[in-house]
Every structure is written in structure tokens, then in C-alpha cells.
Amino acid sequence: MNFGFSYVGLIYLAMLMTPNLIWTKHQPKDYEKYVGNENRALLGLERVGEVLVSCAVLIFSDFNIKPWSNWSWWLVLSFAGMVLYEMYWVRYFQSEKTMRDFYRSFLGIPVAGATLPVAAFGLLAIYGRNCVLAAAVLVLGIGHIGIHLMHQSACAKDFS
């Protein structure tokens, strides 16, 4: 692991944060109803994971582009995950912005708004061979995906 600024990490965080900032003005109808029932342990893991991933992805230069090798495919897969994440958001922003729109699968990927960025950062950790980011992504994934699976489950009950 090599300390140093990661411009790839900055790009990933920009790709992550831009739609989330837009989302704050376009939350799904009835979203607040589900937020109040979030599991506090999962919420804690999510928050800690967010901070750890954001810091790790910026302070290690391991994620910056290196000369091409077979290992570079991990970066390609990771970036593809982020591109799919952006496409998920385009679909959501063009929808009626309901909870069903927010949680329906995207290209067969369940809770894609949570799953895709976690997977992309996990693949980035593999590309950078960085166990700190991998551990941070694990913490984030448990909390973030867990919360969104609970929301999705509650929505399914409400729409049944």
C-alpha cells in the first residue's frame, strides 16, 4: 500500500456524490416513512464505512492508473460498475420518483443504487491490492446494502 493522492479515487467519489446531491432534491415519494425504521447497527456501519471508504480511496495512490497488465481488468470492471451506477441514476431521475422506481432492479441487479457503488469500490480495492479499502468496503456494504434491502422489503410489503 502506497500513501499518496488518488485522482482515480477523486473521480469515483465525484461519480458517487453528484447523483446523490441531486437526489436530495428528488427523493422518492414516502421515503421519510422508511428512513425512520432503519436498523441503528446497520446505519452505524454504513456511516463508518462511508467515512473509511472516502478517506481510503483518496489517501492511497494504489488506485491510480498503472501501465496496462492483466491486473488492469479489475479497474475496467470497477469503472464499468460506476458507469452502471450513473445509468441507474439516469433511469431513476427520468422516472416518477416513487419508492418502487428507487428500488426496482437495474439490469437484474437488486438494490442497484446501493450494490453497484459498493461492488465498484470493492473491485477498485482488488485493483489497488489495498486491504484497507477492502475492509472499509466490507463495512460499508454490510450497512448500506443491508439498509436498502430492508427498505426494499418494506416497500414490497406496502405494495402487495
Side-chain angles (χ1 to χ4, degrees), residues 66-115:
K66 304 170 186 74
W68 183 264
S69 72
N70 282 335
W71 206 254
S72 302
W73 287 109
W74 291 109
L75 179 61
V76 170
L77 289 171
S78 174
F79 189 72
M82 289 304 292
V83 170
L84 289 173
Y85 178 68
E86 301 302 319
M87 292 169 60
Y88 157 82
W89 279 111
V90 168
R91 182 191 71 180
Y92 171 74
F93 290 133
Q94 292 176 344
S95 74
E96 293 183 26
K97 298 173 193 71
T98 66
M99 290 299 286
R100 186 172 288 180
D101 295 324
F102 193 54
Y103 284 114
R104 72 179 185 185
S105 68
F106 180 73
L107 300 175
I109 302 166
V111 290
T115 305

Side-chain angles (χ1 to χ4, degrees), residues 7 61-69 71-72 75 127-129:
Y7 59 85
S61 60
D62 305 323
F63 315 116
N64 291 335
I65 297 173
K66 304 170 186 74
W68 183 264
S69 72
W71 206 254
S72 302
L75 179 61
Y127 167 73
R129 299 177 186 139

Side-chain angles (χ1 to χ4, degrees), residues 1-52:
M1 292 185 301
N2 300 298
F3 283 105
F5 178 71
S6 173
Y7 59 85
V8 170
L10 181 63
I11 291 167
Y12 272 51
L13 288 178
M15 291 176 77
L16 181 72
M17 295 307 300
T18 301
N20 279 280
L21 290 172
I22 297 167
W23 175 81
T24 61
K25 301 291 184 196
H26 301 279
Q27 292 181 2
K29 298 172 186 93
D30 299 325
Y31 184 74
E32 293 302 319
K33 171 183 170 185
Y34 298 94
V35 173
N37 299 325
E38 289 178 349
N39 178 296
R40 295 213 186 277
L42 290 177
L43 186 60
L45 288 171
E46 179 187 45
R47 297 293 184 254
V48 168
E50 288 170 343
V51 170
L52 293 175

Side-chain angles (χ1 to χ4, degrees), residues 116-127:
L116 285 169
V118 169
F121 279 94
L123 292 166
L124 187 62
I126 293 170
Y127 167 73

